[in-house]
Amino acid sequence: MRFNRTLLSTALVVIALVVQVSVLARLQLPGAVPDLLLLVVLGLAFVYGHVAGALIGFGAGLLADLAPPADHAAGRYALVLCVIGYCAGLARPDNGRLKSAFVPMAAVVAAAIGSTLLYALVGALVGDTAARHVGLGSLLFTAAVYDLLLAPFTVPLIMALARRTENDPLSESSSSGDMAAGWLSSGTGLRIGGPRGGLRLKAARSRAARAGRIKGVKRL
């Protein structure tokens, strides 16, 4: 990933983890805990794509595994968010802009349910059966509801910040130059690919002007 992507992703993941551990986890809500970290991974994956989404999800999950008061095996949540980030990135449109709110909201519900199921499945494989005692059905329902209520206030903002990092002035100027060159070449039939092309165009124009003047003199 580029430096601006890495910097923004790291900042958002750290902020989300601090808010989730210090605020959301202390609300004593019934069932699951609102997963702000999951929403950050989703928002970034919607803009950056599946590869970056998987990398961001793995890093965010590993940080959550190591941050206190984590009481599960390290790497468990990293695997969950890595899979979720990859799958969410597959739903990314070509221009990184979603035309309706249905797709991200449906993805939030699917990610909340999928992450809870995958977390419980990995826990069962390593011998952690805490989800059975709490009730998997209530965890799935409350996780989907909490994340769906929190998503409209977080996912659009995260996507907007991520799109700003994609608007690199150097890449914009180069792309606008390519568009101008393509427009000129389509209108004139000449290939203008850079400064040399511009010099060749000027030389051709000057030769045509001299030829016109010579023809005018001969006619006189």
Side-chain angles (χ1 to χ4, degrees):
M1 293 188 295
R2 293 180 296 184
F3 177 75
N4 50 0
R5 285 187 179 187
T6 305
L7 184 61
L8 177 64
S9 302
T10 303
L12 290 176
V13 165
V14 171
I15 293 173
L17 182 61
V18 171
V19 173
Q20 183 164 330
V21 172
S22 60
V23 178
L24 298 179
R26 299 177 183 271
L27 294 179
Q28 301 297 326
L29 295 174
V33 176
D35 199 341
L36 183 59
L37 203 60
L38 174 67
L39 299 179
V40 169
V41 173
L42 289 177
L44 295 175
F46 285 152
V47 179
Y48 293 154
H50 59 282
V51 176
L55 294 175
I56 294 171
F58 179 81
L62 186 60
L63 189 62
D65 289 332
L66 299 177
D71 56 353
H72 54 267
R76 181 177 172 184
Y77 200 48
L79 175 62
V80 172
L81 287 187
C82 180
V83 174
I84 296 298
Y86 181 85
C87 295
L90 295 177
R92 172 186 178 269
D94 294 336
N95 57 359
R97 296 178 181 271
L98 298 171
K99 297 181 180 180
S100 66
F102 175 77
V103 174
M105 293 299 102
V108 168
V109 175
I113 296 176
S115 62
T116 305
L117 286 175
L118 187 57
Y119 187 82
L121 177 61
V122 176
L125 293 177
V126 297
D128 185 2
T129 59
R132 297 179 182 178
H133 303 289
V134 176
L136 185 59
S138 63
L139 283 178
L140 293 175
F141 178 76
T142 53
V145 171
Y146 294 155
D147 292 346
L148 190 60
L149 293 176
L150 190 60
F153 305 99
T154 55
V155 176
L157 178 61
I158 294 168
M159 294 180 64
L161 292 174
R163 283 196 296 265
R164 287 181 65 89
T165 62
E166 295 294 276
N167 295 331
D168 189 359
L170 295 178
S171 62
E172 286 183 356
S173 61
S174 62
S175 61
S176 61
D178 294 339
M179 291 173 61
W183 178 76
L184 288 175
S185 62
S186 61
T188 61
L190 298 175
R191 182 179 180 183
I192 305 172
R196 293 183 179 178
L199 293 177
R200 288 197 295 267
L201 177 60
K202 291 180 180 179
R205 288 178 177 175
S206 62
R207 286 196 297 269
R210 286 199 299 271
R213 288 195 297 269
I214 293 172
K215 289 181 180 179
V217 172
K218 289 181 177 179
R219 289 178 182 177
L220 294 176

